Amino acid sequence: MSGQILIVDDEAAIRRLVRGAVERGGLTADEAANAAEALTYARRPGCELVLLDLGLPDRDGIELIPHLKALDRTVIVLTARDAIAEKVAALDLGADDYVVKPFDTDELLARVRVALRRHNSSPAGHDRLRAGAVEIDLNEHKVWRDGELVKLTRKEFALLAELTRHAGKLLTHAHLLRTIWGDGHVEDVAYLRVAIRALRLKLEVDAASPSYLMNEPGIGYRLIV
Amino acid sequence: MSGQILIVDDEAAIRRLVRGAVERGGLTADEAANAAEALTYARRPGCELVLLDLGLPDRDGIELIPHLKALDRTVIVLTARDAIAEKVAALDLGADDYVVKPFDTDELLARVRVALRRHNSSPAGHDRLRAGAVEIDLNEHKVWRDGELVKLTRKEFALLAELTRHAGKLLTHAHLLRTIWGDGHVEDVAYLRVAIRALRLKLEVDAASPSYLMNEPGIGYRLIV
DNA sequence: CGATTTGCGTAAAGAACGCGTAAAAACGGC
DNA sequence: GCCGTTTTTACGCGTTCTTTACGCAAATCG
């Protein structure tokens, strides 16, 4: 299972220090020592935030920022370089925050929390989302329909969560497959069909004529609000 | 007219400095010298982001954070207090960033841009195109004619999108065939005819005498704006 | 000036596709 | 080894796409 936070730094000591801070906050972490590894881990579903050192052996970390943002990951740059120009460049490229080494682990953790708070909840605050009769708690991994608790499997929940986060929007097969099953399964539309059906059976009034989880033939699925 | 940015600081010199930075970035600003004023300005519609000094004469700025967040304003704390505990407290109370004085105005502006980018990107980027009575949303794969939703198939949509992207311009058979059907079907003009007809039936007032999807004999098609 | 060609619109039939559905096989945690 | 979950496979059905054919008008040509 992949962690929520990805720590990218070539020095093992730093990685350990950061990981300590992150785990103290109850979060899970992966580690990468170079740019190539970083991209591999960042692509894994479940990865939300990347703590990025700029001084990597194979590539300048700053080049990674656009790639990470394209994956919809939050990026906090964590580096010894404190030149203003560098900060501005990183932030303008899409970085969400910029912390200069040496840093305090408490402050880092606080900034990580800020970033995650934002990432997980567009209507700022709680991690409860509602779309129509369905309510979903992202932290508690619980789902209600008309106030009644519904039991979902992990995949079902992940799929519903992704659809709910972008309620009303059309999400492509590829997007859903990538976010929930990972890069290797972008073509496995069958997974999606089976999972969607399971959700419909549990959430729709009549699974045979859905009014909530809608299909856009050839494109993807959309959750109606 | 209220500005997008509210600068809260009891020192006029600081306010002027910050305002300079903000306006250099093409943004407008209001100023408040104490907590009471700050709340008044923050309540005004159009205010998106508050740059908040913590050392205010009437109240501790940190107490303002929850109020500002309740108004759904982005908050960047901008203060001389650099105690870690203070940073963590402010961030956990809902502040979006924390910048310690003395700060560099370029970095501040970059952080303001980051915050605004985020603030404005939640009601996500519609890329919608319009050509005459027809409006088309490329992300949502939806098309309206005179405000009324029209249902298109994939190929129809792709064709209309390509024509709309280059509205008014003449697109050759080969170009359209290549972009929608791929390299292998550059010669299959029949596809194009069938698809164009389907679009006309759905979008034109009278498909038999088109006024919107025009043919340029021997060359290609053009969408009239 | 009439015959022929060329390109377009139109219609309709068959093939291919995508989806829903079901159920069996493989997997993984306890 | 068992039970719930996930993956894999298969089939029917409706929709969409492709293919083919024909009529018509304008352009081309003898």
Side-chain angles (χ1 to χ4, degrees):
Chain A
M1 179 59 188
S2 139
Q4 303 157 266
I5 314 288
L6 173 60
I7 302 163
V8 185
D9 201 304
D10 57 334
E11 290 179 59
I14 302 272
R15 291 203 302 272
R16 200 162 48 244
L17 176 69
V18 174
R19 156 163 261 165
V22 163
E23 291 183 342
R24 186 151 41 80
L27 301 161
T28 58
D30 286 324
E31 298 181 22
N34 56 55
E37 267 183 50
L39 281 175
T40 306
Y41 281 109
R43 269 191 260 271
R44 305 229 296 230
C47 173
E48 297 179 34
L49 184 147
V50 180
L51 290 167
L52 180 66
D53 179 34
L54 296 186
L56 299 177
D58 50 345
R59 256 169 99 181
D60 191 333
I62 213 160
E63 299 171 23
L64 288 183
I65 297 175
H67 292 93
L68 294 171
K69 292 310 289 184
L71 293 168
D72 197 29
R73 306 294 180 241
T74 302
V75 175
I76 299 183
V77 173
L78 189 53
T79 183
R81 306 189 196 164
D82 68 343
I84 298 296
E86 197 104 41
K87 289 189 190 182
V88 172
L91 293 170
D92 279 352
L93 274 172
D96 295 89
D97 204 344
Y98 194 107
V99 178
V100 177
K101 297 179 192 174
F103 53 85
D104 180 275
T105 56
D106 284 329
E107 179 183 348
L108 177 63
L109 181 56
R111 287 185 182 270
V112 166
R113 274 198 298 259
V114 169
L116 287 180
R117 181 208 301 158
R118 210 151 34 207
H119 188 88
N120 291 330
S121 60
S122 27
H126 313 289
D127 317 288
R128 283 230 175 156
L129 301 174
R130 175 189 300 271
V134 175
E135 190 171 0
I136 168 172
D137 187 315
L138 295 172
N139 288 339
E140 301 289 320
H141 279 236
K142 283 180 175 171
V143 174
W144 298 262
R145 190 197 57 179
D146 299 322
E148 197 175 345
L149 194 64
V150 180
K151 204 166 175 306
L152 296 187
T153 70
R154 279 182 304 264
K155 285 279 142 88
E156 287 162 11
F157 183 86
L159 178 55
L160 180 64
E162 183 62 15
L163 284 162
T164 310
R165 261 193 280 272
H166 306 101
K169 293 223 177 316
L170 172 60
L171 301 183
T172 63
H173 296 144
H175 171 85
L176 292 169
L177 286 164
R178 199 191 310 280
T179 26
I180 288 134
W181 280 272
D183 266 328
H185 300 92
V186 194
E187 315 247 293
D188 295 326
V189 194
Y191 294 3
L192 209 42
R193 281 203 273 269
V194 175
I196 286 280
R197 169 156 169 82
L199 278 178
R200 282 181 178 155
L201 286 172
K202 293 180 180 180
L203 298 177
E204 295 272 7
V205 181
D206 175 14
S209 60
S211 60
Y212 179 65
L213 282 164
M214 306 303 285
N215 166 253
E216 206 78 46
I219 314 285
Y221 289 87
R222 176 203 313 273
L223 190 149
I224 302 292
V225 287
Chain B
M1 172 60 186
S2 143
Q4 303 158 266
I5 314 287
L6 173 60
I7 302 164
V8 184
D9 201 305
D10 57 334
E11 290 179 59
I14 301 274
R15 290 202 304 271
R16 200 163 48 244
L17 175 70
V18 174
R19 156 164 262 162
V22 164
E23 291 182 342
R24 186 152 40 81
L27 301 160
T28 58
D30 286 324
E31 299 181 20
N34 56 55
E37 266 183 52
L39 281 175
T40 307
Y41 281 109
R43 268 190 262 270
R44 305 226 299 228
C47 173
E48 297 179 35
L49 184 148
V50 181
L51 290 167
L52 181 66
D53 179 36
L54 296 186
L56 299 177
D58 51 343
R59 257 169 98 180
D60 190 333
I62 214 161
E63 298 171 23
L64 287 183
I65 296 174
H67 293 92
L68 295 171
K69 292 311 289 183
L71 292 168
D72 198 30
R73 306 295 180 241
T74 302
V75 175
I76 299 183
V77 173
L78 189 54
T79 183
R81 307 189 195 164
D82 68 343
I84 298 296
E86 199 104 40
K87 290 189 188 181
V88 172
L91 293 171
D92 280 352
L93 274 171
D96 295 272
D97 203 346
Y98 195 107
V99 179
V100 177
K101 296 180 192 175
F103 52 86
D104 180 274
T105 57
D106 285 329
E107 179 182 347
L108 177 63
L109 180 54
R111 287 185 182 269
V112 166
R113 275 199 298 259
V114 169
L116 287 180
R117 179 208 302 158
R118 207 150 36 209
H119 191 88
N120 294 328
S121 73
S122 29
H126 288 271
D127 37 356
R128 287 204 176 178
L129 301 173
R130 177 189 301 270
V134 175
E135 191 170 0
I136 169 172
D137 187 315
L138 296 174
N139 289 336
E140 295 299 312
H141 281 248
K142 284 182 172 172
V143 174
W144 298 263
R145 189 198 56 180
D146 298 322
E148 198 175 345
L149 196 64
V150 181
K151 211 167 168 319
L152 297 188
T153 71
R154 274 156 295 161
K155 284 280 144 80
E156 288 162 10
F157 184 88
L159 178 55
L160 179 65
E162 183 61 16
L163 284 162
T164 310
R165 261 192 280 269
H166 307 100
K169 294 222 181 320
L170 172 60
L171 301 182
T172 64
H173 296 144
H175 171 84
L176 292 169
L177 285 164
R178 198 190 312 279
T179 35
I180 288 132
W181 279 271
D183 272 329
H185 299 93
V186 195
E187 315 249 295
D188 295 326
V189 195
Y191 294 3
L192 208 42
R193 282 203 270 270
V194 175
I196 286 280
R197 168 156 169 82
L199 275 180
R200 283 182 177 154
L201 286 172
K202 293 181 179 180
L203 298 177
E204 294 274 6
V205 182
D206 175 14
S209 59
S211 61
Y212 179 66
L213 281 164
M214 307 305 284
N215 167 254
E216 208 78 45
I219 315 286
Y221 290 87
R222 177 202 310 273
L223 190 148
I224 302 292
V225 288

